């Protein structure tokens, strides 16, 4: 798997993401500066990592979405290439039009930094191949604006088309207000585009890939991507 991690001013999770990709794929990802106008030749996966791109001025991800490199990312996605946006990366993908909806302030107006549980809604996508449908995983979150919102028609389409891949849930997999940490519509933690090759999610799977962290539930996402690309080769 040949991957590329985008780097914007203010982004701070690019090294975490690069380490996870290197550990699981066995290949060093390319680090691509926001001012570049192209991606490395042969890129399979583009990752937009978390952090605070451009200091989160205007709206989270609004400035980064207009960076030169994002035209190359849109072209990559249009050709069927894989794109993963995590946390601020999810916000950037929404702001750039690669995913529908917006990420609003958490409903309690507080920054949330803790481990949460997610229910994997389906296992037949490149981003969930490493899990079983209905499986509950534990991964960290660290965001102040992770409250996913969209109009009713969009939400109906996302749910009806199976485009919600991850939902916030309790430890035993129950989805509801008590386990919805930020007020996101339908407890949405991660969605894909119509073609299923672009995923945006608020939690950070890259921070739960090593035994030293006490949990390796994030490995399945990256291992599934490797398996998907190996199968397609």
């Amino acid at each position: 798997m040949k991957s590329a991690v985008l780097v914007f001013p203010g982004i701070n999770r690019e090294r975490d993401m690069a380490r996870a990709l290197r550990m699981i794929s066995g290949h060093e990802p390319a680090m691509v500066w926001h001012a570049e106008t192209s991606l490395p030749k042969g890129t399979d996966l583009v990752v937009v990592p978390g952090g605070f791109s451009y200091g989160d001025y205007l709206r989270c991800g609004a400035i980064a979405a207009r960076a030169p490199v994002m035209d190359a990312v849109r072209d990559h996605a249009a050709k069927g290439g894989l794109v993963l946006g995590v946390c601020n990366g999810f916000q950037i993908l929404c702001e750039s039009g690669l995913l529908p909806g917006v990420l609003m302030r958490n409903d309690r107006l507080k920054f949330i930094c803790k481990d949460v549980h997610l229910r994997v809604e389906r296992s037949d996508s490149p981003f969930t191949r490493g899990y079983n449908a209905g499986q509950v995983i534990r991964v960290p979150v660290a965001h102040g604006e992770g409250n996913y919102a969209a109009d009713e028609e969009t939400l109906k389409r996302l749910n009806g088309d199976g485009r919600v891949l991850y939902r916030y849930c309790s430890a035993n997999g129950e989805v509801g207000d008590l386990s919805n940490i930020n007020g996101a519509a339908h407890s949405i933690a991660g969605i894909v585009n119509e073609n299923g090759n672009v995923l945006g999610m608020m939690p950070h799977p890259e921070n739960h890939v090593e035994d030293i962290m006490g949990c390796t539930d994030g490995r399945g996402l990256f291992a599934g991507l490797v398996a998907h690309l190996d199968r397609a080769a």
Side-chain angles (χ1 to χ4, degrees), residues 13-186:
R13 294 298 187 98
E14 76 277 11
R15 293 181 183 275
D16 296 34
M17 184 61 72
R19 179 178 174 84
L21 290 167
R22 182 173 59 251
M23 286 182 59
I24 297 169
S25 73
H27 299 283
E28 189 75 33
M31 308 303 286
V32 181
W33 186 236
H34 68 108
E36 297 292 335
T37 57
S38 62
L39 298 169
K41 187 176 180 180
T43 297
D44 298 307
L45 169 70
V46 177
V47 183
V48 191
F52 303 93
S53 59
Y54 297 93
D56 277 349
Y57 291 112
L58 299 183
R59 298 180 307 277
C60 294
I63 300 177
R66 290 152 179 81
V69 75
M70 291 306 297
D71 285 335
V73 175
R74 280 184 279 266
D75 288 343
H76 175 77
K79 294 174 182 175
L82 297 173
V83 180
L84 168 63
V86 173
C87 199
N88 192 216
F90 188 5
Q91 297 162 342
I92 293 169
L93 293 181
C94 288
E95 289 285 344
S96 65
L98 283 165
L99 290 173
V102 295
L103 282 305
M104 307 289 288
R105 289 286 302 277
N106 297 340
D107 61 352
R108 296 183 182 179
L109 305 182
K110 292 183 178 180
F111 189 88
I112 302 171
C113 185
K114 64 178 183 178
D115 283 2
V116 301
H117 292 97
L118 304 178
R119 190 175 73 190
V120 181
E121 297 294 81
R122 49 186 289 195
S123 60
D124 59 347
S125 84
F127 303 100
T128 56
R129 189 177 297 276
Y131 302 115
N132 295 317
Q135 183 176 345
V136 176
I137 61 174
R138 178 166 61 91
V139 289
V141 295
H143 61 252
E145 301 185 57
N147 181 351
Y148 182 78
D151 61 80
E152 286 303 316
E153 182 59 33
T154 297
L155 292 172
K156 181 179 179 180
R157 192 162 58 247
L158 290 173
N159 285 296
D161 294 345
R163 290 168 55 190
V164 179
L165 297 193
Y166 298 97
R167 294 187 202 270
Y168 301 109
C169 69
S170 65
N172 60 7
E174 294 179 358
V175 172
D177 291 342
L178 292 178
S179 56
N180 189 347
I181 61 165
N182 52 30
H186 299 252

Side-chain angles (χ1 to χ4, degrees), residues 182-200:
N182 52 30
H186 299 252
S187 297
I188 289 173
I191 61 169
V192 289
N193 65 340
E194 289 184 6
N195 293 328
N197 62 311
V198 179
L199 168 68

